[in-house]
Amino acid sequence: MRIGELAAATGVSVRSLRYYEEQRLLTSTRSPSGQRHYTDAEVDRVHFIQRLYAAGLSSRTVKELLPCVDAPSEESSDAAMERMEQERERLSAHIDDLLSTRDALDALMATNRAHRRTLHRPAGSGRDGNEASLLS
């Protein structure tokens, strides 16, 4: 199948498929006129690549995991599991950082709300306080 057909079959853009090939995640053969041709098996491979991306993995990490698919063995399976565990730890650390950042923002917002309650606004001023109240 040609690249447009693979894109339609997988719901992935032609541009993404070209990127996958550039990153050596996907391979094709070329016709004499230079058109890419893919086998039906590439549909499953693209879906698998999409699942890995949806799990937050980079193209470099995806490339590291593909030997488990291309040449399944206990060794490649163990290596893939180890790599996925590392990625999970990285994502967990990132989530922890995001939660801390959100907590800091919540505290800042609470401070702002408390400060706004203490403000005495002149009637008809048209403002809800001033910018300094945000950081007070």
Side-chain angles (χ1 to χ4, degrees):
M1 78 181 71
R2 291 171 37 187
I3 195 166
E5 295 167 318
L6 182 59
T10 60
V12 174
S13 70
V14 168
R15 183 177 181 170
S16 291
L17 295 174
R18 287 185 182 127
Y19 174 78
Y20 295 171
E21 197 165 336
E22 179 184 297
Q23 296 301 308
R24 297 186 179 124
L25 306 176
L26 188 64
T27 58
S28 67
T29 57
R30 297 289 181 128
S31 70
S33 63
Q35 292 180 331
R36 292 173 168 91
H37 289 274
Y38 301 92
T39 66
D40 291 339
E42 300 306 316
V43 172
D44 290 336
R45 186 176 187 92
V46 170
H47 285 139
F48 182 66
I49 291 168
Q50 287 292 294
R51 287 179 56 210
L52 294 172
Y53 278 137
L57 304 178
S58 67
S59 58
R60 185 183 77 221
T61 302
V62 170
K63 188 175 180 181
E64 291 174 25
L65 296 176
L66 288 176
C68 186
V69 175
D70 296 336
S73 70
E74 190 172 330
E75 183 180 328
S76 66
S77 179
D78 289 346
M81 182 60 85
E82 183 178 327
R83 188 65 177 107
M84 288 187 288
E85 287 171 351
Q86 290 170 352
E87 285 300 309
R88 188 179 191 291
E89 289 172 15
R90 181 189 64 80
L91 289 171
S92 292
H94 186 62
I95 289 167
D96 291 344
D97 289 346
L98 288 172
L99 289 172
S100 294
T101 301
R102 185 187 66 188
D103 291 347
L105 182 58
D106 286 346
L108 185 61
M109 291 169 64
T111 300
N112 180 265
R113 284 186 196 102
H115 181 74
R116 289 174 58 106
R117 284 191 295 270
T118 66
L119 293 177
H120 297 282
R121 294 181 193 94
S125 69
R127 293 195 59 160
D128 291 335
N130 58 47
E131 292 77 17
S133 70
L134 179 65
L135 300 177
S136 298

